[in-house]
């Protein structure tokens, strides 16, 4: 089955670090970009950044540049999103999604179920 | 403030038709294909429309998409209570801060 499986919910304190994961299966993991999308409570979708597993090429939204790090482990078909020092405002649902793209089209055709991150003292 | 503008909410009765608009600019919708996503309550987004008007396998033809200039529209006919969800448009923005952009989302209520 083609799917993205995300790691489980996390509860952290401000200032702590965190790394969440997204494992792809059922398709050629290195052939498609993997993006991360944030959804704060009751809010819309925000693109955070994207990585190409084939060569680890990574792009960030200006809003998230320097705030998070996206990485990959090709050997286990897994993408990661990490924080070095969490803030309460990082409380959100985080989705990974596979991107299909071409010259002037890009869309996310496969989504993980999301990882809920709660940051509270 | 989202780059793409959608109405916060729309509503219609079961069996009726509804449209959801998505307004952008020349750096995004004007020059790139649009996709639409459905997010049912408590679930992850799901691709509904891609390349402006194409439906992935399994998406019924009650759902349609179109693009004109710097705007796009999602249409849903024969509304069902199961269509109650948040709908998001998305595309690529090729401005200096290039990247994926989404609309703010539209909540569809089937009365």
């Amino acid at each position: 089955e083609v799917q993205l499986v995300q790691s489980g919910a996390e509860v952290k304190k401000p200032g702590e670090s965190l790394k969440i994961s997204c494992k792809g299966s059922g398709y050629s993991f290195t052939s498609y970009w993997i993006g991360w999308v944030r959804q704060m409570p009751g809010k819309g979708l925000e693109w955070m950044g994207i990585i190409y597993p084939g060569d680890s090429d990574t792009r960030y939204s200006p809003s998230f540049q320097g705030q998070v790090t996206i990485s990959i482990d090709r050997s286990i078909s897994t993408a990661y999103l990490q924080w070095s020092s969490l803030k309460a405002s990082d409380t959100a649902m985080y989705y990974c999604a596979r991107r299909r793209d071409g010259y002037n089209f890009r869309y996310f055709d496969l989504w993980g179920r999301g990882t809920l991150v709660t940051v509270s003292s | 403030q989202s780059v793409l503008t959608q109405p916060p909410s729309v509503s219609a009765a079961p069996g009726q038709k509804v449209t959801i608009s998505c307004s952008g600019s020349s750096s995004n919708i004007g020059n790139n294909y649009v996709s639409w996503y459905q997010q049912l309550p408590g679930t992850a987004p799901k691709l509904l429309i891609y390349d402006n008007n194409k439906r992935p396998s399994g998406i019924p033809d009650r759902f349609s998409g179109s693009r004109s200039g710097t705007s796009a529209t999602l249409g849903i006919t024969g509304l069902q209570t199961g269509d109650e969800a948040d709908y998001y448009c998305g595309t690529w923005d090729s401005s200096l801060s290039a990247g994926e952009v989404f609309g703010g989302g539209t909540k569809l209520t089937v009365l």
Side-chain angles (χ1 to χ4, degrees), chain A residues 37 39 43-47 50 59-60 62 95 99 103-109 111-114, chain B residues 31-33 35 37 39 43-47 50-51 88 91-92 97-104:
Chain A
V37 176
Q39 187 169 39
K43 301 298 184 182
L45 307 177
E46 301 174 88
W47 177 70
I50 201 159
R59 319 280 173 84
Y60 294 93
Y95 295 102
R99 193 183 79 178
Y103 171 65
N104 62 347
F105 71 88
R106 291 169 176 83
Y107 56 88
F108 294 106
D109 70 333
W111 293 70
R113 291 190 174 185
Chain B
N31 282 285
N32 296 295
Y33 287 126
S35 52
Y37 304 89
Q39 186 175 33
T43 69
K46 180 177 78 171
L47 179 65
Y50 67 98
D51 289 1
Y88 296 89
T91 188
W92 174 262
S97 56
E100 321 289 333
V101 290
F102 295 103

Side-chain angles (χ1 to χ4, degrees), chain A residues 14-87:
Chain A
E16 291 186 332
S17 62
L18 176 64
K19 192 173 189 178
I20 62 175
S21 66
C22 169
K23 182 176 176 60
S25 63
Y27 72 97
S28 176
F29 184 73
T30 55
S31 298
Y32 300 90
W33 292 80
I34 294 287
W36 288 93
V37 176
R38 182 176 78 174
Q39 187 169 39
M40 299 179 75
K43 301 298 184 182
L45 307 177
E46 301 174 88
W47 177 70
M48 303 176 70
I50 201 159
I51 188 165
Y52 188 69
D55 61 7
S56 299
D57 185 6
T58 308
R59 319 280 173 84
Y60 294 93
S61 160
S63 298
F64 292 93
Q65 179 81 48
Q67 308 303 308
V68 297
T69 301
I70 295 171
S71 60
I72 208 85
D73 186 336
R74 279 187 291 276
S75 68
I76 55 172
S77 301
T78 300
Y80 300 96
L81 176 67
Q82 69 180 84
W83 296 259
S84 58
S85 180
L86 286 161
K87 301 184 282 288

